[in-house]
């Protein structure tokens, strides 16, 4: 079993920055790939970014490329999402997710999920 806890959400003005953290606990968590997804009110969950267990493979949604950066610190069992140049359309609940080894852009392929953290970007 893997437990995930997100933190770092909040309210920020457009153009601002936030850094989300996803702390993982459980057996062999450093061998899990990490993903970030988001869900805005009335919309389906969408992929944001993903990183393999080694950090060697990274994927981004087109909507966040060049603005968001995913990274991980396996010594701290934590995956990060640095979000810069935030836009009102980035407003959503952000969820981190984990799956063994290989990163994926598909939420259905992740076995473990955090509880989510709210990000609100004001215009």
């Amino acid at each position: 079993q893997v437990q995930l806890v997100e933190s770092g959400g909040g309210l920020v003005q457009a153009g601002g920055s936030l850094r989300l953290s996803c702390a993982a606990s459980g057996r062999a968590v450093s061998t899990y790939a990490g993903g970030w997804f988001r869900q805005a009110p009335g919309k389906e969950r969408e992929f944001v970014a993903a990183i393999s267990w080694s950090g060697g493979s990274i994927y981004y949604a087109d909507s966040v490329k060049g603005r968001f950066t995913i990274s991980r610190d396996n010594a701290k069992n934590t995956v990060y999402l640095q979000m810069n140049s935030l836009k009102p359309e980035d407003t959503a609940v952000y969820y981190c997710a984990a799956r063994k080894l290989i990163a994926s852009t598909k939420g259905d392929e992740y076995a473990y999920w955090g509880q989510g953290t709210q990000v609100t970007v004001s215009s």
Side-chain angles (χ1 to χ4, degrees), residues 1-7 21-25 33-39 45 93-99 107 110-118:
Q1 281 283 7
V2 173
Q3 293 79 42
L4 304 173
V5 178
E6 302 99 332
S7 61
S21 298
C22 176
S25 60
W36 286 97
F37 294 78
R38 67 187 182 186
Q39 187 167 21
R45 182 182 64 197
V93 177
Y94 283 70
Y95 298 89
C96 71
R99 69 188 301 266
Y110 285 81
Y112 303 101
W113 291 82
Q115 83 287 352
T117 185
Q118 176 71 46

Side-chain angles (χ1 to χ4, degrees), residues 8-72:
L11 173 65
V12 64
Q13 289 188 330
S17 298
L18 284 174
R19 188 177 80 156
L20 304 184
S21 298
C22 176
S25 60
R27 188 174 175 211
V29 293
S30 62
T31 64
Y32 281 73
W36 286 97
F37 294 78
R38 67 187 182 186
Q39 187 167 21
K43 294 188 176 181
E44 293 188 353
R45 182 182 64 197
E46 64 174 354
F47 167 74
V48 176
I51 186 168
S52 63
W53 72 275
S54 67
S57 296
I58 290 176
Y59 306 97
Y60 295 101
D62 288 343
S63 59
V64 306
K65 276 181 185 175
R67 300 189 298 122
F68 291 11
T69 302
I70 190 170
S71 62
R72 66 187 298 152

Side-chain angles (χ1 to χ4, degrees), residues 72-88:
R72 66 187 298 152
D73 183 340
N74 283 347
K76 296 182 178 180
N77 292 334
T78 301
V79 174
Y80 303 97
L81 185 67
Q82 177 67 42
M83 306 186 295
N84 299 329
S85 302
L86 282 161
K87 304 175 182 180

